[in-house]
C-alpha cells in the first residue's frame, strides 16, 4: 500500500463498500475550496464489493471540499433572527446553556436527543451515554427507528437476537432460492446485485415481491406485485399453501421451533382466494412462488423497507419468518431469513444505546442486570440511568410540548420524517435546537446553534455493515480548521455540563470502553479491536473475549474468530428454539376511499441518498436525479388526463406534494410512487402517514391514501392547456 493511500469504507449505505482514498498532490486538482483533496481508488481486497462502487460512493469525496460544506459554527442572532458565524466556545456554551435551561425549568426529560444510523459505533455509543449520564434524559431515539426497527423487533421475537443478516452476503449465490421482499437492491445497493446475478448463474431462483417492476424485479424468475401494505397477507397465503400442499418440514419444526400449532392455525385462516383479493396476486402465481421456494433444497427470505415500513411491519416480517421456519429454511447452512439494513451504520447504530429502550451491546434498558453492568462501566449508580423514552416520531411529535430542547446529530427529519410539515412546525416550536451536521441541512437551517463536524474521510471510527461485520473507517486527511468531530462536540458539551471525564475524543479510546460495555451482551464486541479489524478486514459479532483471551491475543495466539453465521447450533432464545408468532392480516392504517382513491408508496432512486442533504450537493448526482417525480401507470395517467412530464399534485389528509408525472407500466395502476429525497413542494413526506407499528413504532412510510390531481398552469385567457 502506498503511503498516500488509505483503505476505508464508503460514507453512505449499509453495504459499506471498501474503497481506497489517495491524496491528490497539492496543485494537481487546483487549490483552495472546491479542490478535491482525495480521490477514490479501487480497493479489491474487501470481499463484499471487490472494488465496485455506485455513483454515490465514487463521488463521495466531493463534499469534503465543497463550497457548501459548513466550516464554522453558527448561532442565531436575537437581533436579526438569522444564523451568524460564532466561535466554537460561544457555540458550545450556547448549546450547553440551551439544554441546561430546559432541564432546570422543566426537568431532565424536557431535553431530547436525536441520533442517526449513519453515526459510527463510537459516536452512537457516546451519544447514548451523553443523554443518560450528562443530561439524565430518557428522551433519546434516532432515525434507525424509521429504517429497520420492524425487522429488528421481529428478529428478537423469533430468534432472540437481531442481526440483520445471520449469514454473509457471499452465501446468497449458493442458496437454492431467494425471496426478495420490498428491496430495490439494484438502486439501493448496486454492487450487491452481483450476488443475485451469481445466484441465477448457479441455477438458483429469484422471486421479487414489489408493487413496482423495479430494476431489481427485472432480474427475477418470478415477480409478484402486491398492492402496497399487503405483504402480511401474501406471506400468510404462501404459508397456507405450503401447509396444504404438504411442503412443511415437520422434523425441523419439531426439533428446532416452538409455537407452530398457533401459527399454523393463523395461516390456515387465510385462504389463497382471499389472499388474492387482498393482495391482487393471483392464486396460480402464489402457488408458483411456493413451489419455487420449497422445491429448492435451501432458501432465503430477505426483506427491506417495502414490507417493513408499514404500521404492521413487525407482524409482516414475522409472517415471512414463519414461512422460513415452517419450511426448515432457518438455522441451517445457506438458509434463513435476513433483513437488508440500510444506513452506513444501520446495524451498529441500533446496538449501542442511541435507541430509546437500549443500552450498549444490544442490552435492554429495562433489564436490571444490563443496567448494573453498563452503570459499572460508566462509573454511575444503576438507579441514575433513566428508563426508556419515546420512539423517534413520538419524540419529534412531543417537541415544543413536553420536550423543550433538542440536540440532533446525524439526521434531517424536516425532509425524512413522516408528516413532515407537522414535524417541521414542532421543531420550530422548540425553546432551543442544536444541530451537528456537515452541511446546512433543512433541519440545521432551523437551529439556534449549528455545529459543523468532520466527515468520514477526516476521522477514524467503526461501522457494522448489514452483514454484522465490524469495519474500520480510517482518517485519510486533515479536516478544515473550523470543524470538530462529533466526539469533540460531545466532549466539549459534557465538560461544560460538569462531566470532565468519561467522554474521550479519541475514537479508539471510545471503542475500548464500548468493548467493555458490550461484554456479555447480545451484541458482544469485547473480542474486537481496531488492530484485528485492520488485519482481518472486518470481524463479525458476536465476538466475545473470554478470560485469558486478551493475553493470548497479545501473544498472537488463537482467539474467538467472530461469528459470520448465526443460529446453526441453535437460536438465541432461552430454549434454543426459534419462536413462531401467530399473526393475522390487518389493513393499512389508511385505506383508499372516494376522496383519496389512490395508494402512495415512497422510496429511493439510485443517485440520491436519504434526505439528499449530502447527495443533492454533488453535481454529478444532482444531474442524474435533479428532482422529485410521481411514478404512475398509463391507465391512471389517462384517467387524470396527464401526460409524461406534466406536473401533478399528490394530496393526502396531511398535505400535498408536487412533481412531474413519470408514466410507466412498471407500477400497479392503483398506486403512485414518489422518492423522498427532496424538500419543498416536492417533499413526499408532507403526504405520508405517521401511523405507527404497535411494537416497533415504525411509521407507515410505504402506504397511505391520496388523491392525484393534474396541476394545470393558469393561462392568461383563464383556461388551462389541453391535458
Ligand atoms: N440510492 C440510495 N441507496 C440507498 C439509500 C438511499 O437513500 N438512496 N438509503 C439506504 C437506506 S437507509 C435504506 S433503509 C435502504 C433501503 O433500501 P430499499 O428497501 O431497497 O429501498 P426503498 O426504495 O425504500 O424500498 C424498496 C422497494 O419497496 C417497494 N415497496 C413499496 N411499498 C411496498 C410494499 O407495500 N410491499 C413491498 N413488498 N414492497 C414495497 C418499493 O417499490 C421499492 O422498490 O437503502 C439504502 N441505500
Ligand atoms: N417517505 C419516506 N421517508 C423515509 C423513508 C422512506 O422510505 N420513505 N425511509 C426512512 C429511512 S429508512 C431512513 S434511514 C431515514 C433517513 O433520513 P435522515 O435521517 O434524514 O437521513 P440522512 O439524509 O442520511 O441525514 C443524515 C444527516 O446527517 C448528516 N451527517 C452525515 N454524517 C454525519 C456525521 O457523521 N455526523 C453528523 N453530525 N451528521 C452527519 C448529513 O449531512 C444529513 O444532514 O429516512 C426515512 N424516511
Ligand atoms: S452501494 Fe452503498 S456503500 Fe457501496 S458505494 Fe454505493 S452508497 Fe457506498
Ligand atoms: Mo434506512
Amino acid at each position: 500500500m502506498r503511503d498516500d493511500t488509505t483503505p476505508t469504507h464508503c460514507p453512505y449505505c449499509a453495504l459499506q463498500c471498501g474503497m481506497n482514498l489517495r491524496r491528490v498532490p497539492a496543485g494537481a486538482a487546483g487549490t483552495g475550496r472546491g479542490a478535491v483533496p482525495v480521490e477514490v481508488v479501487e480497493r479489491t481486497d474487501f470481499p463484499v464489493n471487490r472494488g465496485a462502487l455506485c455513483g454515490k460512493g465514487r463521488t463521495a469525496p466531493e463534499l469534503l471540499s465543497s463550497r457548501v460544506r459548513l466550516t464554522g459554527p453558527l448561532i442565531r442572532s436575537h437581533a436579526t433572527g438569522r444564523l451568524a458565524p460564532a466561535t466554537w466556545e460561544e457555540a458550545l456554551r450556547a448549546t450547553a446553556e440551551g439544554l441546561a435551561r430546559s432541564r432546570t425549568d422543566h426537568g431532565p426529560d424536557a431535553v431530547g436527543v436525536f441520533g442517526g444510523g449513519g453515526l459510527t459505533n463510537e459516536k452512537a455509543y457516546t451519544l447514548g451515554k451523553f443523554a443518560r449520564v450528562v443530561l439524565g434524559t430518557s428522551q433519546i431515539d434516532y432515525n434507525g427507528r424509521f429504517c429497520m426497527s420492524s425487522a429488528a423487533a421481529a428478529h428478537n421475537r423469533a430468534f432472540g437476537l437481531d442481526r440483520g443478516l445471520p449469514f454473509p452476503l457471499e452465501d446468497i449465490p449458493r442458496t437454492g432460492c431467494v425471496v426478495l421482499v420490498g428491496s430495490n437492491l439494484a438502486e439501493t445497493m448496486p454492487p450487491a446485485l452481483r450476488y443475485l446475478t451469481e445466484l441465477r448463474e448457479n441455477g438458483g431462483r429469484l422471486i421479487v415481491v414489489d408493487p413496482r417492476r423495479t430494476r431489481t424485479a427485472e432480474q427475477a424468475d418470478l415477480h409478484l406485485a402486491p398492492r402496497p401494505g399487503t405483504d402480511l397477507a401474501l406471506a400468510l397465503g404462501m404459508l397456507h399453501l405450503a401447509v396444504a400442499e404438504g411442503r412443511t418440514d415437520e422434523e425441523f419444526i419439531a426439533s428446532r421451533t416452538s409455537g407452530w400449532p398457533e401459527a399454523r392455525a393463523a395461516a390456515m385462516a387465510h385462504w389463497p382466494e382471499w389472499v388474492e383479493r387482498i393482495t391482487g396476486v393471483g392464486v396460480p402465481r402464489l402457488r408458483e412462488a411456493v413451489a419455487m421456494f420449497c422445491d429448492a433444497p435451501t432458501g432465503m427470505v430477505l426483506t427491506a423497507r417495502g414490507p417493513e415500513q408499514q404500521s404492521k411491519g413487525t407482524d409482516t416480517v414475522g409472517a415471512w419468518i414463519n414461512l422460513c421456519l415452517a419450511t426448515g429454511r432457518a438455522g441451517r447452512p445457506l438458509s434463513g431469513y435476513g433483513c437488508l439494513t440500510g444506513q452506513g451504520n444501520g446495524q451498529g447504530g441500533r446496538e449501542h444505546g442511541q435507541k430509546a429502550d437500549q443500552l450498549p451491546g444490544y442490552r435492554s434498558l429495562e433489564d436490571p442486570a444490563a443496567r448494573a453492568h453498563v452503570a459499572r462501566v460508566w462509573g454511575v449508580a444503576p438507579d441514575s440511568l433513566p428508563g426508556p423514552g419515546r420512539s423517534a416520531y413520538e419524540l419529534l411529535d412531543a417537541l415544543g410540548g413536553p420536550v423543550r430542547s433538542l440536540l440532533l446529530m446525524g439526521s434531517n427529519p424536516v425532509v425524512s420524517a413522516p408528516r413532515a410539515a407537522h414535524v417541521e412546525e414542532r421543531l420550530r416550536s422548540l425553546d432551543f435546537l442544536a444541530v451537528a451536521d456537515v452541511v446546512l441541512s433543512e433541519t440545521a437551517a432551523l437551529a439556534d446553534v449549528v455545529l459543523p463536524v468532520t466527515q468520514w474521510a477526516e476521522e477514524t471510527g467503526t461501522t457494522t455493515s448489514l452483514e454484522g461485520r465490524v469495519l474500520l473507517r480510517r482518517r485519510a486527511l486533515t479536516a478544515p480548521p473550523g470543524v470538530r468531530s462529533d466526539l469533540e462536540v460531545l466532549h466539549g458539551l459534557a465538560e461544560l455540563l460538569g462531566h470532565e471525564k468519561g467522554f474521550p475524543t479519541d475514537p479508539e479510546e471510545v471503542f475500548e470502553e464500548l468493548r467493555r460495555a458490550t461484554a456479555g451482551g447480545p451484541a458482544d464486541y469485547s473480542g474486537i479491536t481496531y488492530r484485528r479489524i485492520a488485519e482481518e478486514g472486518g470481524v463479525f459479532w458476536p465476538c466475545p473475549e473470554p478470560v485469558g483471551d486478551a493475553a493470548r491475543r497479545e501473544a498472537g495466539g488463537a482467539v474467538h474468530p467472530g461469528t459470520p453465521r448465526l443460529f446453526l447450533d441453535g437460536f438465541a432464545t432461552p430454549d434454543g428454539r426459534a419462536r413462531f408468532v401467530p399473526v393475522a392480516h390487518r389493513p393499512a392504517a389508511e385505506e383508499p376511499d372516494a376522496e383519496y382513491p389512490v395508494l402512495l408508496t415512497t422510496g429511493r432512486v439510485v443517485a440520491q441518498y436519504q434526505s439528499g442533504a449530502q447527495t443533492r450537493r454533488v453535481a454529478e448526482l444532482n444531474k442524474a436525479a435533479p428532482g422529485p417525480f410521481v411514478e404512475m401507470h398509463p391507465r391512471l395517467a389517462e384517467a387524470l388526463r396527464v401526460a409524461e412530464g406534466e406536473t401533478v399534485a399528490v394530496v393526502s389528509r396531511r398535505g400535498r406534494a408536487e412533481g412531474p408525472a413519470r408514466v410507466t407500466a412498471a407500477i400497479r395502476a392503483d398506486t403512485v410512487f414518489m422518492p423522498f429525497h427532496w424538500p419543498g413542494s416536492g417533499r413526499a413526506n408532507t403526504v405520508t402517514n405517521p401511523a405507527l407499528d404497535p411494537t416497533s413504532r415504525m411509521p407507515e412510510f410505504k402506504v397511505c391514501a391520496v388523491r392525484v390531481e393534474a396541476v394545470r398552469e393558469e393561462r392568461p385567457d383563464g383556461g388551462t392547456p389541453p391535458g
Side-chain angles (χ1 to χ4, degrees), residues 186-206:
E187 297 210 49
T188 53
M189 295 180 183
L193 192 60
R194 132 175 105 81
Y195 294 101
L196 299 179
T197 315
E198 286 171 14
L199 165 79
R200 299 198 55 226
E201 282 165 4
N202 293 344
R205 314 300 294 275
L206 175 65

Side-chain angles (χ1 to χ4, degrees), residues 10 12-17 52-54 56-58 188-191:
C10 174
Y12 297 117
C13 88
L15 202 57
Q16 283 299 285
C17 292
L53 297 171
C54 79
K56 297 185 295 302
R58 197 168 32 73
T188 53
M189 295 180 183

Side-chain angles (χ1 to χ4, degrees), residues 396-441:
L396 294 171
D397 191 36
L399 301 182
V403 180
R404 312 296 316 173
S405 64
L406 184 74
L407 171 66
L408 186 140
M409 195 171 259
S411 179
N412 186 13
V414 167
V415 177
S416 58
R419 197 187 171 199
H422 171 72
V423 167
E424 185 174 343
E425 186 228 333
R426 295 289 85 215
L427 283 159
R428 286 182 194 278
S429 73
L430 280 166
D431 294 343
F432 179 78
L433 171 64
V435 175
D437 206 311
V438 299
V439 292
L440 193 69
S441 72

Side-chain angles (χ1 to χ4, degrees), residues 13 56 147 181-185 187-189 209-212 214 226-231 304-307 309-310 341-343 601-610 673 676-677 702:
C13 88
K56 297 185 295 302
C147 189
V181 191
S183 155
N184 187 8
L185 205 75
E187 297 210 49
T188 53
M189 295 180 183
V209 182
D210 195 308
R212 303 156 58 220
T214 58
R227 198 165 165 269
T230 64
D231 301 81
R305 300 309 80 79
Q309 288 174 327
Q310 300 182 15
T341 297
Q343 297 182 81
T601 193
T602 60
R604 297 160 163 81
V605 298
V606 65
Q608 294 289 356
Y609 190 69
Q610 314 276 62
F673 168 83
F676 76 98
H677 309 293
K702 286 294 187 268

Side-chain angles (χ1 to χ4, degrees), residues 598 632-642 669-672 708:
V598 177
M632 64 172 78
H633 193 274
R635 277 210 298 283
L636 181 60
E638 197 186 357
L640 298 168
R641 298 198 308 125
V642 164
D670 55 6
T671 303
V672 294
V708 184

Side-chain angles (χ1 to χ4, degrees), residues 241-291:
L241 282 170
V243 175
E245 295 175 358
R247 294 175 177 279
T248 53
D249 185 336
E250 297 301 324
E251 199 249 283
F252 180 87
I253 292 171
S255 63
R256 303 282 308 270
T257 72
S258 62
W260 173 230
E262 295 78 12
R264 182 183 189 281
M268 295 322 278
H270 295 74
W271 288 89
E273 294 71 19
W274 176 87
V275 170
E276 173 174 326
R277 257 203 332 274
I278 297 291
T279 63
V281 175
V283 176
R285 304 283 279 175
L286 211 56
R287 236 180 253 289
E288 202 183 329
V290 173

Side-chain angles (χ1 to χ4, degrees), residues 46-121:
F46 186 63
V48 172
N49 62 308
R50 290 192 224 143
L53 297 171
C54 79
K56 297 185 295 302
R58 197 168 32 73
T59 57
E62 256 192 56
L63 210 54
L64 294 167
S65 56
S66 167
R67 284 169 221 288
V68 297
R69 145 167 221 190
L70 293 167
T71 51
L74 304 170
I75 298 185
R76 192 168 300 280
S77 141
H78 289 300
T80 66
R82 295 228 170 101
L83 286 169
T87 66
W88 268 101
E89 205 194 334
E90 290 163 344
L92 288 176
R93 190 162 298 283
T95 305
E97 282 171 7
L99 301 176
R101 202 173 312 117
S102 297
R103 188 175 58 181
T104 309
D105 294 352
H106 306 278
D109 278 356
V111 186
V113 176
F114 200 92
L119 302 177
T120 58
N121 289 316

